[in-house]
Amino acid sequence: MRKEKTITVGEKNFKIKEVPPIEALDHKLIEIAAKRYRVKSMDVFDARRVAYEFPITMMPRIGDYADNEKLFRLLMKYVEVEISPNNWQALTTDELIRQHVSPKDFARLEREVVDFTTGFFSDGNASNIVLTIG
């Protein structure tokens, strides 16, 4: 919860809500199909790799499915599923991914990890790439 405080600039008072430092935002909770997932932020090297490779590997006739699948596994390292109250399991193997990620929901989890770390989807970058390519 953000704390509200008053700051004074010149003779005017302003009420603002404090924004926590980026380090405080270490995960995001989401619910998909009655399962709770905890999405964690990627480290800088993985984020950079995904930012450069992920959009290209998904493009028809240009992309490379095998490389895109490797990136999917990399992204799933940053997802945990709640297997019981307050008991989280990281999706670190193909078998764990198969058990806990529905074929209908994999794209949403990928998007959540990328967006949580980089803001790629929420800040309009994805649309800009599509417009540039199209």
Side-chain angles (χ1 to χ4, degrees), residues 34-104:
K35 283 192 177 196
R36 286 174 35 103
Y37 296 94
R38 184 163 59 187
V39 173
K40 296 186 160 236
S41 184
M42 290 183 277
D43 72 42
V44 66
F45 292 103
D46 288 345
R48 184 178 186 279
R49 180 177 175 198
V50 168
Y52 282 99
E53 295 180 12
F54 198 65
I56 294 169
T57 63
M58 294 186 331
M59 294 172 59
R61 297 187 185 171
I62 297 172
D64 182 335
Y65 179 79
D67 286 344
N68 188 264
E69 189 173 284
K70 288 177 190 173
L71 290 171
F72 171 71
R73 286 183 176 98
L74 176 80
L75 290 170
M76 290 302 101
K77 283 186 353 182
Y78 294 97
V79 177
E80 297 174 333
V81 63
E82 189 175 37
I83 55 177
S84 63
N86 295 316
N87 187 10
W88 297 89
Q89 171 66 58
L91 301 180
T92 55
T93 68
D94 287 0
E95 189 55 36
L96 287 168
I97 294 168
R98 282 186 188 98
Q99 288 176 11
H100 298 288
V101 179
S102 161
K104 294 185 290 185

Coordinates of all heavy atoms in Angstrom, one line a residue, residues 34-104:
A34 N -8.3 -20.4 -12.5 CA -8.4 -20.9 -11.1 C -7.0 -21.3 -10.6 O -6.9 -22.0 -9.5 CB -9.4 -22.0 -11.0
K35 N -5.9 -21.0 -11.2 CA -4.6 -21.2 -10.7 C -3.9 -19.9 -10.4 O -4.1 -18.9 -11.2 CB -3.7 -22.0 -11.7 CG -4.0 -23.5 -11.8 CD -2.9 -24.2 -12.5 CE -3.2 -25.7 -12.5 NZ -2.1 -26.5 -12.9
R36 N -3.2 -19.9 -9.3 CA -2.4 -18.6 -9.0 C -1.0 -18.8 -9.4 O -0.4 -19.8 -9.1 CB -2.5 -18.4 -7.5 CG -3.9 -17.9 -7.1 CD -4.1 -17.7 -5.6 NE -3.0 -17.3 -4.8 CZ -2.7 -16.1 -4.4 NH1 -3.6 -15.1 -4.6 NH2 -1.7 -15.8 -3.6
Y37 N -0.5 -17.8 -10.1 CA 0.9 -17.8 -10.5 C 1.6 -16.6 -9.9 O 1.0 -15.5 -9.7 CB 1.0 -17.7 -12.1 CG 0.4 -18.9 -12.8 CD1 -0.9 -18.9 -13.2 CD2 1.2 -20.0 -13.0 CE1 -1.4 -20.0 -13.9 CE2 0.7 -21.1 -13.7 CZ -0.7 -21.1 -14.1 OH -1.2 -22.2 -14.8
R38 N 2.9 -16.7 -9.7 CA 3.7 -15.6 -9.2 C 4.8 -15.4 -10.3 O 5.6 -16.3 -10.6 CB 4.3 -16.0 -7.9 CG 5.1 -14.9 -7.3 CD 5.4 -15.1 -5.8 NE 6.1 -16.3 -5.5 CZ 6.4 -16.7 -4.3 NH1 5.9 -16.1 -3.3 NH2 7.0 -17.9 -4.1
V39 N 4.7 -14.2 -11.0 CA 5.6 -13.9 -12.0 C 6.7 -13.1 -11.4 O 6.5 -12.1 -10.7 CB 4.9 -13.1 -13.1 CG1 5.8 -12.6 -14.2 CG2 3.8 -14.0 -13.7
K40 N 7.9 -13.5 -11.7 CA 9.1 -12.7 -11.2 C 9.8 -12.0 -12.3 O 9.7 -12.3 -13.4 CB 10.1 -13.7 -10.5 CG 9.5 -14.4 -9.3 CD 10.5 -15.2 -8.6 CE 10.0 -15.5 -7.2 NZ 10.9 -15.0 -6.2
S41 N 10.5 -11.0 -11.9 CA 11.2 -10.2 -12.9 C 12.5 -10.9 -13.4 O 13.2 -11.5 -12.6 CB 11.7 -8.8 -12.2 OG 12.3 -8.0 -13.1
M42 N 12.8 -10.8 -14.7 CA 13.9 -11.5 -15.2 C 15.2 -10.7 -14.8 O 15.2 -9.5 -14.6 CB 13.9 -11.5 -16.8 CG 12.8 -12.4 -17.4 SD 12.9 -12.3 -19.2 CE 11.9 -10.9 -19.5
D43 N 16.3 -11.4 -14.8 CA 17.6 -10.7 -14.6 C 17.9 -10.0 -15.9 O 17.3 -10.2 -17.0 CB 18.7 -11.6 -14.2 CG 19.2 -12.6 -15.2 OD1 19.4 -12.2 -16.4 OD2 19.5 -13.7 -14.9
V44 N 18.8 -9.0 -15.8 CA 19.1 -8.1 -17.0 C 19.6 -8.9 -18.2 O 19.2 -8.5 -19.3 CB 20.1 -7.0 -16.6 CG1 21.5 -7.6 -16.3 CG2 20.2 -6.0 -17.6
F45 N 20.4 -9.9 -18.1 CA 20.9 -10.7 -19.3 C 19.7 -11.4 -19.9 O 19.6 -11.4 -21.2 CB 22.0 -11.6 -18.9 CG 23.3 -10.8 -18.5 CD1 23.6 -10.7 -17.2 CD2 24.0 -10.2 -19.4 CE1 24.7 -9.9 -16.8 CE2 25.2 -9.4 -19.1 CZ 25.5 -9.3 -17.8
D46 N 18.9 -12.1 -19.2 CA 17.8 -12.8 -19.8 C 16.8 -11.8 -20.4 O 16.3 -12.0 -21.5 CB 17.0 -13.6 -18.7 CG 17.8 -14.9 -18.3 OD1 18.8 -15.2 -19.0 OD2 17.5 -15.5 -17.3
A47 N 16.5 -10.7 -19.7 CA 15.6 -9.6 -20.3 C 16.2 -9.1 -21.6 O 15.4 -8.9 -22.6 CB 15.5 -8.5 -19.3
R48 N 17.5 -8.9 -21.7 CA 18.1 -8.4 -22.9 C 17.9 -9.4 -24.0 O 17.6 -9.1 -25.1 CB 19.5 -8.1 -22.6 CG 20.2 -7.4 -23.8 CD 21.7 -7.1 -23.5 NE 22.3 -6.4 -24.6 CZ 22.8 -7.0 -25.6 NH1 22.8 -8.3 -25.8 NH2 23.4 -6.3 -26.6
R49 N 18.2 -10.7 -23.7 CA 18.1 -11.7 -24.7 C 16.7 -11.8 -25.2 O 16.4 -11.9 -26.4 CB 18.5 -13.1 -24.1 CG 18.4 -14.2 -25.1 CD 18.9 -15.5 -24.5 NE 18.7 -16.5 -25.4 CZ 18.7 -17.8 -25.1 NH1 18.9 -18.2 -23.9 NH2 18.4 -18.7 -26.0
V50 N 15.7 -11.8 -24.3 CA 14.3 -11.9 -24.7 C 13.9 -10.7 -25.6 O 13.2 -10.8 -26.6 CB 13.4 -12.1 -23.5 CG1 11.9 -11.9 -23.9 CG2 13.6 -13.4 -22.9
A51 N 14.3 -9.5 -25.2 CA 14.0 -8.3 -25.9 C 14.5 -8.3 -27.3 O 13.8 -7.8 -28.2 CB 14.5 -7.0 -25.2
Y52 N 15.7 -8.8 -27.5 CA 16.2 -8.9 -28.9 C 15.8 -10.1 -29.7 O 15.6 -9.9 -30.9 CB 17.8 -8.9 -28.8 CG 18.3 -7.5 -28.5 CD1 18.7 -7.2 -27.3 CD2 18.5 -6.6 -29.5 CE1 19.2 -5.9 -27.0 CE2 19.0 -5.3 -29.3 CZ 19.4 -5.0 -28.0 OH 19.9 -3.7 -27.8
E53 N 15.5 -11.2 -29.1 CA 15.2 -12.4 -29.8 C 13.8 -12.8 -29.9 O 13.3 -13.3 -30.9 CB 16.0 -13.6 -29.2 CG 17.5 -13.5 -29.4 CD 18.2 -14.7 -28.7 OE1 17.6 -15.7 -28.4 OE2 19.5 -14.6 -28.6
F54 N 13.0 -12.5 -28.9 CA 11.6 -13.0 -28.8 C 10.7 -12.5 -29.9 O 10.1 -13.3 -30.6 CB 11.0 -12.7 -27.4 CG 9.8 -13.5 -27.1 CD1 9.9 -14.8 -26.9 CD2 8.6 -12.9 -26.9 CE1 8.8 -15.6 -26.5 CE2 7.5 -13.6 -26.6 CZ 7.6 -15.0 -26.4
P55 N 10.7 -11.2 -30.2 CA 9.8 -10.8 -31.3 C 10.2 -11.4 -32.7 O 9.3 -11.8 -33.5 CB 10.0 -9.3 -31.3 CG 10.5 -8.9 -30.0 CD 11.3 -10.1 -29.6
I56 N 11.5 -11.5 -32.9 CA 11.9 -12.0 -34.2 C 11.6 -13.5 -34.4 O 11.2 -14.0 -35.4 CB 13.4 -11.7 -34.4 CG1 13.6 -10.2 -34.5 CG2 13.9 -12.4 -35.7 CD1 15.0 -9.7 -34.5
T57 N 11.8 -14.3 -33.3 CA 11.6 -15.7 -33.4 C 10.2 -16.1 -33.6 O 9.9 -17.2 -34.0 CB 12.2 -16.5 -32.2 OG1 11.5 -16.1 -31.0 CG2 13.7 -16.2 -32.0
M58 N 9.3 -15.2 -33.3 CA 7.8 -15.5 -33.4 C 7.3 -15.1 -34.8 O 6.2 -15.5 -35.2 CB 7.0 -14.7 -32.4 CG 7.3 -15.1 -31.0 SD 6.2 -14.3 -29.8 CE 5.8 -12.7 -30.4
M59 N 8.1 -14.5 -35.6 CA 7.6 -14.0 -36.9 C 7.5 -15.1 -38.0 O 8.5 -15.8 -38.2 CB 8.4 -12.8 -37.4 CG 8.4 -11.6 -36.6 SD 9.6 -10.4 -37.0 CE 9.1 -10.0 -38.7
P60 N 6.3 -15.3 -38.6 CA 6.2 -16.3 -39.6 C 7.2 -16.1 -40.8 O 7.5 -15.0 -41.2 CB 4.8 -16.1 -40.2 CG 4.1 -15.3 -39.1 CD 5.1 -14.5 -38.4
R61 N 7.8 -17.2 -41.3 CA 8.7 -17.3 -42.4 C 10.1 -16.6 -42.1 O 11.0 -16.8 -42.8 CB 8.1 -16.6 -43.6 CG 6.9 -17.3 -44.1 CD 6.5 -16.7 -45.4 NE 5.3 -17.4 -45.8 CZ 4.5 -17.0 -46.8 NH1 4.9 -16.0 -47.6 NH2 3.4 -17.6 -47.1
I62 N 10.2 -15.9 -41.0 CA 11.5 -15.3 -40.6 C 12.0 -16.0 -39.3 O 13.2 -16.3 -39.2 CB 11.4 -13.8 -40.4 CG1 10.9 -13.1 -41.7 CG2 12.7 -13.2 -39.9 CD1 10.6 -11.6 -41.5
G63 N 11.1 -16.2 -38.4 CA 11.4 -16.7 -37.1 C 12.0 -18.2 -37.1 O 12.0 -18.9 -38.1
D64 N 12.4 -18.6 -35.9 CA 12.9 -19.9 -35.7 C 12.2 -20.5 -34.5 O 12.4 -20.1 -33.4 CB 14.4 -19.8 -35.5 CG 15.1 -21.2 -35.3 OD1 14.4 -22.2 -34.9 OD2 16.3 -21.3 -35.6
Y65 N 11.3 -21.5 -34.8 CA 10.5 -22.1 -33.7 C 11.4 -22.6 -32.6 O 11.1 -22.5 -31.4 CB 9.6 -23.1 -34.2 CG 8.8 -23.7 -33.1 CD1 7.7 -23.1 -32.6 CD2 9.2 -24.9 -32.5 CE1 7.0 -23.5 -31.5 CE2 8.5 -25.4 -31.4 CZ 7.4 -24.7 -30.9 OH 6.7 -25.2 -29.8
A66 N 12.5 -23.3 -32.9 CA 13.3 -24.0 -31.9 C 13.9 -22.9 -31.0 O 13.9 -23.1 -29.8 CB 14.5 -24.8 -32.6
D67 N 14.3 -21.8 -31.5 CA 14.9 -20.7 -30.7 C 13.8 -20.1 -29.8 O 14.0 -19.8 -28.7 CB 15.5 -19.6 -31.5 CG 16.9 -20.0 -32.1 OD1 17.4 -21.0 -31.6 OD2 17.3 -19.4 -33.0
N68 N 12.6 -20.0 -30.4 CA 11.4 -19.4 -29.7 C 11.0 -20.3 -28.5 O 10.7 -19.9 -27.4 CB 10.2 -19.2 -30.6 CG 9.1 -18.4 -29.9 OD1 8.2 -19.0 -29.4 ND2 9.3 -17.1 -29.8
E69 N 11.1 -21.6 -28.7 CA 10.8 -22.6 -27.7 C 11.8 -22.5 -26.5 O 11.4 -22.6 -25.4 CB 10.7 -24.0 -28.2 CG 10.2 -25.0 -27.3 CD 10.0 -26.4 -27.9 OE1 9.1 -26.6 -28.6 OE2 10.9 -27.3 -27.7
K70 N 13.1 -22.3 -26.9 CA 14.1 -22.1 -25.8 C 13.8 -20.9 -25.0 O 13.9 -20.9 -23.8 CB 15.5 -22.0 -26.5 CG 16.0 -23.3 -27.0 CD 17.4 -23.0 -27.7 CE 17.8 -24.3 -28.5 NZ 19.0 -24.0 -29.3
L71 N 13.4 -19.8 -25.7 CA 13.0 -18.6 -25.0 C 11.8 -18.8 -24.1 O 11.7 -18.2 -23.0 CB 12.8 -17.4 -25.9 CG 14.0 -16.9 -26.7 CD1 13.6 -15.9 -27.8 CD2 15.0 -16.3 -25.7
F72 N 10.8 -19.6 -24.5 CA 9.7 -19.9 -23.7 C 10.1 -20.6 -22.4 O 9.7 -20.3 -21.3 CB 8.7 -20.8 -24.5 CG 7.6 -21.4 -23.6 CD1 6.6 -20.6 -23.2 CD2 7.6 -22.7 -23.3 CE1 5.5 -21.1 -22.4 CE2 6.5 -23.3 -22.5 CZ 5.5 -22.4 -22.1
R73 N 11.0 -21.6 -22.5 CA 11.5 -22.3 -21.3 C 12.2 -21.3 -20.4 O 12.1 -21.3 -19.2 CB 12.5 -23.4 -21.7 CG 11.7 -24.6 -22.3 CD 12.7 -25.7 -22.6 NE 12.0 -26.9 -23.0 CZ 11.9 -27.2 -24.3 NH1 12.4 -26.5 -25.3 NH2 11.2 -28.3 -24.7
L74 N 13.0 -20.4 -21.0 CA 13.7 -19.3 -20.2 C 12.7 -18.5 -19.5 O 12.8 -18.2 -18.3 CB 14.5 -18.5 -21.1 CG 15.2 -17.3 -20.5 CD1 16.5 -17.8 -19.8 CD2 15.6 -16.2 -21.5
L75 N 11.6 -18.1 -20.1 CA 10.6 -17.2 -19.5 C 9.9 -18.0 -18.4 O 9.6 -17.4 -17.3 CB 9.5 -16.8 -20.5 CG 10.0 -15.8 -21.5 CD1 9.0 -15.6 -22.6 CD2 10.4 -14.4 -20.9
M76 N 9.6 -19.3 -18.6 CA 8.9 -20.1 -17.5 C 9.7 -20.2 -16.3 O 9.2 -20.4 -15.2 CB 8.5 -21.4 -18.1 CG 7.4 -21.4 -19.1 SD 5.8 -20.6 -18.5 CE 6.0 -19.0 -19.2
K77 N 11.1 -20.0 -16.3 CA 11.9 -20.0 -15.1 C 11.5 -18.9 -14.2 O 11.7 -19.0 -13.0 CB 13.4 -19.8 -15.5 CG 14.1 -20.9 -16.0 CD 15.6 -20.6 -16.2 CE 16.1 -19.2 -16.0 NZ 17.5 -19.0 -16.2
Y78 N 10.8 -17.9 -14.7 CA 10.4 -16.8 -13.9 C 9.0 -16.8 -13.5 O 8.4 -15.9 -13.0 CB 10.7 -15.5 -14.7 CG 12.2 -15.3 -14.8 CD1 12.8 -15.7 -16.0 CD2 13.0 -14.8 -13.8 CE1 14.2 -15.5 -16.2 CE2 14.3 -14.6 -14.0 CZ 15.0 -15.0 -15.1 OH 16.3 -14.8 -15.3
V79 N 8.4 -18.0 -13.6 CA 7.0 -18.2 -13.2 C 6.9 -19.3 -12.1 O 7.6 -20.4 -12.3 CB 6.1 -18.7 -14.4 CG1 4.7 -19.0 -13.9 CG2 6.1 -17.6 -15.5
E80 N 6.2 -19.1 -11.1 CA 5.9 -20.1 -10.0 C 4.4 -20.3 -10.0 O 3.6 -19.3 -10.2 CB 6.4 -19.6 -8.7 CG 7.9 -19.4 -8.7 CD 8.4 -18.8 -7.3 OE1 7.6 -18.1 -6.7 OE2 9.6 -19.0 -7.0
V81 N 4.0 -21.5 -9.6 CA 2.6 -21.8 -9.5 C 2.3 -22.2 -8.0 O 3.2 -22.8 -7.4 CB 2.1 -22.9 -10.4 CG1 2.8 -24.2 -10.1 CG2 0.6 -23.1 -10.4
E82 N 1.2 -21.7 -7.5 CA 0.9 -22.0 -6.1 C 0.3 -23.4 -6.1 O -0.8 -23.7 -6.6 CB -0.1 -21.0 -5.5 CG -0.3 -21.2 -4.0 CD -1.1 -20.1 -3.4 OE1 -2.1 -19.7 -4.1 OE2 -0.8 -19.6 -2.3
I83 N 1.0 -24.4 -5.5 CA 0.5 -25.8 -5.4 C -0.3 -26.1 -4.2 O -1.1 -27.0 -4.2 CB 1.6 -26.8 -5.6 CG1 2.7 -26.6 -4.6 CG2 2.2 -26.7 -7.1 CD1 3.9 -27.6 -4.7
S84 N -0.1 -25.3 -3.2 CA -1.0 -25.3 -2.0 C -0.8 -23.9 -1.3 O 0.1 -23.2 -1.7 CB -0.6 -26.4 -1.0 OG 0.7 -26.2 -0.6
P85 N -1.7 -23.5 -0.4 CA -1.5 -22.2 0.2 C -0.1 -21.8 0.6 O 0.5 -22.6 1.4 CB -2.5 -22.2 1.3 CG -3.5 -23.2 0.9 CD -2.8 -24.2 0.2
N86 N 0.4 -20.8 0.1 CA 1.8 -20.3 0.4 C 2.9 -21.3 0.1 O 4.0 -21.3 0.7 CB 1.9 -19.8 1.8 CG 1.0 -18.6 2.1 OD1 1.0 -17.7 1.3 ND2 0.3 -18.6 3.2
N87 N 2.6 -22.2 -0.8 CA 3.7 -23.2 -1.3 C 3.8 -23.1 -2.8 O 2.9 -23.5 -3.5 CB 3.2 -24.6 -0.9 CG 4.3 -25.6 -1.1 OD1 5.4 -25.3 -1.5 ND2 3.9 -26.9 -1.0
W88 N 4.9 -22.5 -3.2 CA 5.1 -22.2 -4.6 C 6.1 -23.1 -5.3 O 7.1 -23.4 -4.7 CB 5.6 -20.7 -4.7 CG 4.6 -19.7 -4.3 CD1 4.4 -19.3 -3.0 CD2 3.5 -19.1 -5.0 NE1 3.4 -18.4 -2.9 CE2 2.8 -18.3 -4.2 CE3 3.1 -19.2 -6.4 CZ2 1.7 -17.6 -4.6 CZ3 2.1 -18.5 -6.8 CH2 1.4 -17.7 -5.9
Q89 N 5.8 -23.5 -6.5 CA 6.7 -24.3 -7.3 C 7.2 -23.6 -8.5 O 6.3 -23.2 -9.3 CB 6.0 -25.6 -7.7 CG 6.7 -26.5 -8.7 CD 8.0 -27.1 -8.1 OE1 8.0 -27.8 -7.1 NE2 9.1 -26.8 -8.7
A90 N 8.5 -23.4 -8.7 CA 9.0 -22.8 -9.9 C 8.8 -23.7 -11.1 O 9.0 -25.0 -11.0 CB 10.4 -22.4 -9.7
L91 N 8.5 -23.2 -12.2 CA 8.3 -24.0 -13.4 C 9.7 -24.1 -14.2 O 9.9 -23.5 -15.2 CB 7.2 -23.4 -14.3 CG 5.9 -23.2 -13.7 CD1 4.9 -22.5 -14.7 CD2 5.4 -24.5 -13.2
T92 N 10.5 -25.0 -13.7 CA 11.9 -25.1 -14.1 C 12.1 -26.3 -15.1 O 13.2 -26.4 -15.6 CB 12.8 -25.2 -12.9 OG1 12.4 -26.3 -12.1 CG2 12.8 -23.9 -12.1
T93 N 11.1 -27.2 -15.2 CA 11.3 -28.3 -16.1 C 10.2 -28.4 -17.1 O 9.1 -27.9 -16.8 CB 11.4 -29.6 -15.3 OG1 10.1 -29.9 -14.7 CG2 12.5 -29.6 -14.2
D94 N 10.4 -29.1 -18.2 CA 9.3 -29.3 -19.1 C 8.1 -30.0 -18.5 O 6.9 -29.7 -18.7 CB 9.8 -30.2 -20.3 CG 10.7 -29.4 -21.2 OD1 11.0 -28.2 -21.0 OD2 11.1 -30.0 -22.2
E95 N 8.3 -31.0 -17.6 CA 7.2 -31.7 -17.0 C 6.4 -30.8 -16.0 O 5.2 -30.8 -16.0 CB 7.8 -32.9 -16.2 CG 6.7 -33.8 -15.7 CD 5.7 -34.3 -16.8 OE1 6.2 -34.6 -17.9 OE2 4.5 -34.5 -16.5
L96 N 7.1 -29.9 -15.3 CA 6.4 -29.0 -14.4 C 5.5 -28.0 -15.3 O 4.4 -27.7 -14.9 CB 7.3 -28.2 -13.5 CG 7.9 -29.0 -12.4 CD1 9.0 -28.3 -11.7 CD2 6.8 -29.4 -11.4
I97 N 6.1 -27.6 -16.4 CA 5.4 -26.7 -17.3 C 4.1 -27.4 -17.8 O 3.0 -26.8 -17.8 CB 6.3 -26.2 -18.4 CG1 7.4 -25.3 -17.9 CG2 5.5 -25.4 -19.5 CD1 8.5 -25.0 -18.8
R98 N 4.3 -28.6 -18.3 CA 3.2 -29.4 -18.8 C 2.1 -29.6 -17.8 O 0.9 -29.5 -18.1 CB 3.6 -30.8 -19.3 CG 4.3 -30.7 -20.6 CD 4.6 -32.2 -21.1 NE 5.4 -32.1 -22.3 CZ 6.7 -32.3 -22.3 NH1 7.4 -32.5 -21.2 NH2 7.4 -32.2 -23.5
Q99 N 2.5 -29.8 -16.5 CA 1.5 -30.1 -15.4 C 0.7 -28.8 -15.1 O -0.4 -28.9 -14.6 CB 2.2 -30.6 -14.2 CG 2.7 -32.0 -14.3 CD 3.5 -32.4 -13.1 OE1 3.5 -31.7 -12.0 NE2 4.2 -33.5 -13.1
H100 N 1.3 -27.6 -15.2 CA 0.8 -26.5 -14.6 C 0.4 -25.3 -15.5 O -0.2 -24.3 -15.1 CB 1.7 -25.9 -13.5 CG 1.9 -26.8 -12.4 ND1 0.9 -27.1 -11.4 CD2 3.0 -27.6 -12.0 CE1 1.4 -28.0 -10.6 NE2 2.6 -28.3 -10.9
V101 N 0.7 -25.5 -16.8 CA 0.4 -24.5 -17.8 C -0.5 -25.1 -18.9 O -0.1 -26.0 -19.5 CB 1.6 -23.9 -18.4 CG1 1.3 -22.8 -19.5 CG2 2.5 -23.3 -17.3
S102 N -1.7 -24.5 -19.0 CA -2.6 -25.0 -20.0 C -2.2 -24.5 -21.4 O -1.6 -23.4 -21.5 CB -4.0 -24.4 -19.7 OG -4.8 -24.4 -20.8
P103 N -2.4 -25.3 -22.5 CA -2.1 -24.8 -23.8 C -2.9 -23.5 -24.1 O -2.4 -22.7 -25.0 CB -2.6 -25.9 -24.7 CG -2.5 -27.1 -23.9 CD -2.9 -26.7 -22.5
K104 N -4.0 -23.2 -23.5 CA -4.7 -22.0 -23.7 C -4.1 -20.8 -23.0 O -4.4 -19.7 -23.4 CB -6.2 -22.1 -23.2 CG -7.0 -23.1 -23.9 CD -8.4 -23.1 -23.5 CE -8.5 -23.7 -22.1 NZ -9.9 -23.8 -21.6

